[in-house]
Amino acid sequence: MTNMQGIRRSYLPVIAAALVLLLTCGKAAAQSAVTEKPAAPGYIGRQACTACHAKEAEAWRGSHHDLAMQEPTSVTVLGDFSGTSFKSHGIVSRFFKRGDTFYVNTDGPDGKLADFPIKYVFGVTPLQQYLVEFSGGRLQALSIAWDSRPKSAGGQRWFHLFAKEKIDHKDSLHWTGIYQNWNLQCAECHSTGLRKGYDAATNSYHTNWRELNVSCEACHGPGSRHADWAKTATKPYKVDDNNGFAYSTASRWKDAWRFPEAGARTARRDRLAAPAVSNTCAACHARRSTIAARDQPGAPLADTHRLALLTAPNYHADGQQREEVYTWGSFLQSKMFQQGVTCMDCHEPHGAKTRAPGNALCLRCHDAAIFDSPQHHFHKTGEAGAQCVACHMPTQNYMVIDARHDHSLRVPRPDLAQKLGSPDACTQCHADKKPAWAAAALDGWLGRQWRQRPNSGPVLHAGTTQGVKAAPSLLALAQSSAQPPLVRATAAQLLVPHMRPSLLQSARELLKDPDPEVRIAVLGMIEPVDPINRVLAASPLLTDSVRGVRIEAARVLAGVPETRLPDSRREAYRRALDEYIVVQQEDADWPTANLNMGNLYLRLGRFDEAVAAYRRALKLDPQFASAWVNLADAWRVQGREIEAETTLRAGLVKLPRSADLLHALGLTQVRKGDKTAALESLAQAARLAPERSRYAYVWAVALHSAGRSDEALKALREADKRHPYDVSLLGTLVSIERETGDAHAALAHARKLAEALPDDPQVKALVAELSRGK
């Protein structure tokens, strides 16, 4: 099922999750189906697998994998198409049948009511969506879905996925718009052997697949070589043999976990499973964008996808799920993952069910006498709170009714919930209580030592709320081998705005990290530094074994003259840059990919191509504010200020309350010399986006330049409350306060600046100077 709730104006590429561990193909059918070994592995279809893998095939039938996408029939369609009506935001939609065809009468791309035949059903439970075919090969997902839960659970009804928002046909989130497009959003994870087939020249799709649903080869890869292997293979099979596939997905879950000695609290894995076991799941169970076709499931995720890090709006400050993140980013944070637990240790892959019900699943590896006891969970046996998942895997609803467990498997920290603004598992059940109540209860049960358990949340939270003061703790977190790599990568990303020469050596060391997500994030730290150090740090990664790292290195180096690169690395740079361009071209139906290409061309000085790329992004999504801003910037770089202003004003027609556009317009008006208009535009931007400290800073500087210093100081002080330890805000406060004769305030802010930059000699000198004059 698609989930568009998490992309409102963020436009992060989202692919809807399908459960994805499936079947192997088999020997007997393969003997007749395959006559000769292909030069490269090819798809052979599920029917070739069932003869040898009947048990797996039976488990798969009727599973979420099997029912990921189906043709509409009286059996597969769960919604009420008997002429029922549903009203939302003034639009009355009607669901009915005409012969054997299912229809919806609803508002179309022009806003007018029309009849649309249902082409496919999408998903099965707890909700089912419906796809409508449009010209250009597009399949669009209706935003009205069927609640397939029992009536007793609130189901058997139509409901709107965006009930809290009025979305009309002009909005890119309308069901006929780009972000409800199946080809773009969902297809990769709901079908097998999919080829999107997007043609940028005609803005059309020729999408095809090997199988309509998520079948065997979606998870094992093309099966022809396995079929060839099966012709001659005999038992006992080699334990480490890939059986003709690119990667082995055998987890050996049944034999792997053992209690090491009598009285052990938890089991241990005798031998770690190959990374491919969980990588196979991760490609669809992750919030990520695609950088390459996934024809070889099991490859490192960073070779085919770019994983979203633990930042807002996708995650809370402590890494708990916020928007729909599809499990993998949560699981990577868990102690379970660090200890070698795989997806298949808990989930049977073909039927997509857990391997045991309730607490029995956890007690396969956790001693029941210790953990399934009121002395551990402090609830009566049989109560909801006595379930392991209630405390360690709280749920959150997505797509209105789809409750997803947070797979970070964390210990509740109600003491941090209020500080970080993150959920508290205790008060999710005890909704009439506050986190402080839960924390006090834990104090009574456990003493206060539980509050000392390591938690990366405060550091990550400081990274977004404490400005440059958080840099040392963020660096320590990024460097900590005890932390999950995804947490470390997130810390590195949060360091990017605070990058300084003093951090360069640490960044270069982190670029040698064994985890590709860390290397990718740290390349972002390298991007702002001078060209020489950028080349020294990033160019060795142009030949990295992981595609995601190579192309990020090439992007970071783009715009540095090739003559600055060592001779030995110029060819690698060209290859990696070509790879980066191919990635964007493959996703040319995404506005963000066109924005990326525009940014690349602008760095390379190819202005006409940059303008064309930005215009293409806006053709796909006229409400894409960043494309309007960057297009205007492309004109500005060429000295064409009139075109820049015209572009920004055109964008504001589409997005009249866009802080980004208003801020850019204000800067254009400053350059134009229209100070009155500039102040108004900059003020609006600062008020609309108080989370952007830069906007408040620029507005205050403009006020001061206009002789309105009192207003400038007020704006800066208000912004300083929201963004403590922001160097630009503090530096400007000190400057204006000194100029206006408020030495006491200037010294206070200089001392605050010294807290943020304790080793900066210029700041020390400033404090000393102001202290002498006090």
Side-chain angles (χ1 to χ4, degrees):
M1 283 168 278
T2 57
N3 173 20
M4 307 302 173
Q5 291 174 303
I7 64 163
R8 184 69 185 173
R9 301 293 171 246
S10 66
Y11 305 119
L12 287 176
V14 178
I15 304 295
L19 300 172
V20 294
L21 283 172
L22 300 175
L23 318 180
T24 54
C25 58
K27 174 181 176 182
Q31 290 177 329
S32 59
V34 180
T35 57
E36 60 179 325
K37 184 177 180 179
Y43 289 90
I44 58 176
R46 179 175 59 85
Q47 294 305 318
C49 308
T50 56
C52 286
H53 299 282
K55 181 180 177 181
E56 289 83 357
E58 185 58 31
W60 174 83
R61 290 189 187 95
S63 68
H64 281 247
H65 315 136
D66 179 17
L67 306 180
M69 186 165 165
Q70 305 171 85
E71 294 183 349
T73 69
S74 59
V75 174
T76 62
V77 173
L78 304 180
D80 184 355
F81 281 79
S82 63
T84 55
S85 295
F86 175 79
K87 184 176 181 180
S88 178
H89 295 295
I91 302 294
V92 177
S93 301
R94 191 168 64 90
F95 299 85
F96 62 97
K97 284 184 71 175
R98 189 179 296 151
D100 292 331
T101 304
F102 295 83
Y103 284 88
V104 59
N105 178 272
T106 192
D107 57 325
D110 56 1
K112 298 177 181 178
L113 295 176
D115 293 346
F116 299 97
I118 303 302
K119 182 69 174 180
Y120 295 103
V121 301
F122 208 50
V124 57
T125 185
L127 65 149
Q128 187 175 72
Q129 285 185 273
Y130 300 93
L131 302 182
V132 172
E133 188 173 33
F134 282 81
S135 60
R138 285 173 169 76
L139 291 174
Q140 299 291 137
L142 280 170
S143 296
I144 303 170
W146 177 254
D147 184 339
S148 58
R149 299 174 300 169
K151 197 165 188 177
S152 59
Q156 301 301 297
R157 65 187 177 100
W158 293 105
F159 70 100
H160 204 289
L161 294 171
F162 298 103
K164 295 180 180 180
E165 298 181 74
K166 185 174 182 179
I167 297 174
D168 64 17
H169 66 286
K170 298 177 183 178
D171 196 307
S172 53
L173 283 178
H174 188 257
W175 77 271
T176 60
I178 185 172
Y179 298 112
Q180 299 288 353
N181 174 242
W182 169 88
N183 317 69
L184 177 81
Q185 291 275 19
C186 322
E188 181 183 355
C189 285
H190 276 262
S191 300
T192 302
L194 184 117
R195 290 293 180 269
K196 183 166 60 174
Y198 179 69
D199 181 3
T202 60
N203 192 25
S204 62
Y205 292 93
H206 304 279
T207 307
N208 60 74
W209 51 77
R210 296 292 179 162
E211 294 190 59
L212 177 64
N213 51 18
V214 184
S215 192
C216 314
E217 292 166 294
C219 297
H220 294 285
S224 60
R225 287 183 179 172
H226 174 65
D228 290 340
W229 169 87
K231 292 176 183 178
T232 57
T234 57
K235 292 183 178 181
Y237 305 130
K238 294 179 181 178
V239 174
D240 296 321
D241 194 344
N242 289 355
N243 302 348
F245 291 111
Y247 297 93
S248 171
T249 55
S251 73
R252 298 176 179 84
W253 65 274
K254 190 179 294 185
D255 305 318
W257 292 92
R258 295 282 186 273
F259 285 90
E261 67 276 328
R265 293 165 59 89
T266 58
R268 295 288 183 271
R269 219 180 205 281
D270 292 339
R271 183 177 61 173
L272 293 180
V277 172
S278 290
N279 286 341
T280 300
C281 312
C284 280
H285 285 271
R287 185 71 177 251
R288 81 291 188 277
S289 57
T290 301
I291 61 175
R294 193 178 61 95
D295 279 336
Q296 299 298 336
L301 184 65
D303 212 39
T304 55
H305 296 85
R306 180 74 178 267
L307 184 62
L309 299 185
L310 307 176
T311 54
N314 295 326
Y315 294 90
H316 290 282
D318 61 352
Q320 290 191 67
Q321 62 183 7
R322 185 177 178 186
E323 301 293 349
E324 173 62 278
V325 292
Y326 309 114
T327 301
W328 183 243
S330 298
F331 185 50
L332 286 178
Q333 303 171 59
S334 71
K335 188 175 181 180
M336 304 300 172
F337 179 80
Q338 302 304 309
Q339 295 298 319
V341 175
T342 72
C343 307
M344 283 192 277
D345 287 326
C346 298
H347 299 272
E348 194 286 314
H350 304 101
K353 297 177 181 178
T354 55
R355 294 195 182 275
N359 285 358
L361 179 66
C362 306
L363 299 179
R364 291 162 57 244
C365 289
H366 296 265
D367 184 82
I370 298 172
F371 294 99
D372 198 18
S373 161
Q375 284 71 42
H376 175 72
H377 52 63
F378 304 104
H379 291 79
K380 293 179 181 179
T381 300
E383 285 186 344
Q387 291 294 307
C388 305
V389 296
C391 293
H392 301 295
M393 299 182 70
T395 61
Q396 181 167 320
N397 277 8
Y398 300 104
M399 304 186 78
V400 184
I401 62 169
D402 193 359
R404 307 280 180 93
H405 285 283
D406 189 316
H407 277 61
S408 54
L409 296 136
R410 63 185 67 231
V411 175
R413 289 296 301 268
D415 60 318
L416 295 177
Q418 187 169 354
K419 296 176 184 176
L420 306 182
S422 55
D424 167 42
C426 305
T427 51
Q428 180 170 307
C429 289
H430 299 274
D432 60 332
K433 305 293 186 181
K434 300 293 184 183
W437 165 86
L442 286 172
D443 288 342
W445 295 330
L446 303 173
R448 293 182 64 87
Q449 62 269 23
W450 66 275
R451 295 174 181 255
Q452 305 307 314
R453 290 172 178 153
N455 189 293
S456 61
V459 175
L460 296 179
H461 183 255
T464 61
T465 60
Q466 295 294 302
V468 73
K469 187 180 180 182
S473 57
L474 286 171
L475 179 61
L477 187 61
Q479 293 171 325
S480 174
S481 59
Q483 289 291 334
L486 189 60
V487 171
R488 298 172 55 226
T490 303
Q493 185 182 70
L494 292 174
L495 274 168
V496 172
H498 314 306
M499 188 62 188
R500 281 173 166 71
S502 60
L503 295 176
L504 182 58
Q505 185 55 42
S506 297
R508 293 188 65 175
E509 289 299 317
L510 283 169
L511 286 174
K512 302 172 186 176
D513 195 88
D515 190 88
E517 300 297 344
V518 173
R519 300 198 296 277
I520 291 170
V522 176
L523 280 165
M525 292 176 62
I526 296 298
E527 186 173 2
V529 306
D530 63 275
I532 293 176
N533 279 305
R534 211 184 318 165
V535 169
L536 290 172
S539 63
L541 278 73
L542 292 167
T543 54
D544 196 278
S545 61
V546 177
R547 179 186 287 106
V549 179
R550 293 194 302 272
I551 65 173
E552 181 66 0
R555 186 193 68 80
V556 164
L557 290 170
V560 175
E562 278 196 36
T563 54
R564 297 270 187 104
L565 293 170
D567 292 345
S568 60
R569 290 187 177 139
R570 291 178 190 175
E571 185 57 37
Y573 166 71
R574 296 184 194 112
R575 287 197 301 269
L577 191 63
D578 286 344
E579 277 190 288
Y580 177 81
I581 292 171
V582 167
V583 166
Q584 309 311 319
Q585 290 174 338
E586 287 294 318
D587 266 355
D589 50 343
W590 271 106
T592 47
N594 291 278
L595 181 76
N596 291 341
M597 286 303 298
N599 294 344
L600 176 67
Y601 288 141
L602 200 58
R603 281 185 168 195
L604 297 175
R606 295 158 62 174
F607 299 114
D608 290 346
E609 291 168 280
V611 167
Y614 294 139
R615 282 176 167 167
R616 175 159 178 71
L618 290 169
K619 182 178 180 181
L620 293 170
D621 180 10
Q623 295 176 304
F624 193 8
S626 295
W628 287 109
V629 171
N630 287 20
L631 175 58
D633 202 47
W635 292 127
R636 179 193 63 78
V637 168
Q638 297 176 74
R640 298 169 67 172
E641 291 286 1
I642 294 176
E643 286 92 335
E645 182 174 354
T646 300
T647 296
L648 293 170
R649 292 193 181 281
L652 283 165
V653 171
K654 302 287 185 183
L655 298 164
R657 292 180 58 79
S658 169
D660 295 340
L661 286 167
L662 285 164
H663 179 76
L665 178 62
L667 294 177
T668 297
Q669 290 164 330
V670 167
R671 293 190 296 270
K672 186 180 175 182
D674 191 347
K675 295 181 179 180
T676 302
L679 276 172
E680 179 58 29
S681 298
L682 294 173
Q684 286 187 62
R687 290 167 186 149
L688 286 168
E691 73 281 2
R692 300 284 188 92
S693 63
R694 176 73 181 173
Y695 291 0
Y697 159 73
V698 172
W699 176 41
V701 169
L703 284 169
H704 179 60
S705 297
R708 296 160 63 178
S709 297
D710 289 345
E711 293 174 73
L713 286 170
K714 181 181 178 182
L716 288 167
R717 287 165 182 164
E718 288 177 355
D720 179 53
K721 292 176 184 177
R722 291 190 298 269
H723 307 281
Y725 304 105
D726 182 289
V727 172
S728 296
L729 295 175
L730 288 172
T732 308
L733 275 167
V734 172
S735 177
I736 298 177
E737 286 163 345
R738 292 181 74 184
E739 187 177 317
T740 56
D742 192 346
H744 180 77
L747 178 59
H749 285 119
R751 285 173 173 164
K752 189 174 180 181
L753 191 59
E755 284 184 59
L757 300 170
D759 300 322
D760 191 306
Q762 291 181 318
V763 175
K764 288 180 180 179
L766 175 64
V767 172
E769 179 186 344
L770 291 169
S771 298
R772 286 193 299 270
K774 186 177 177 181

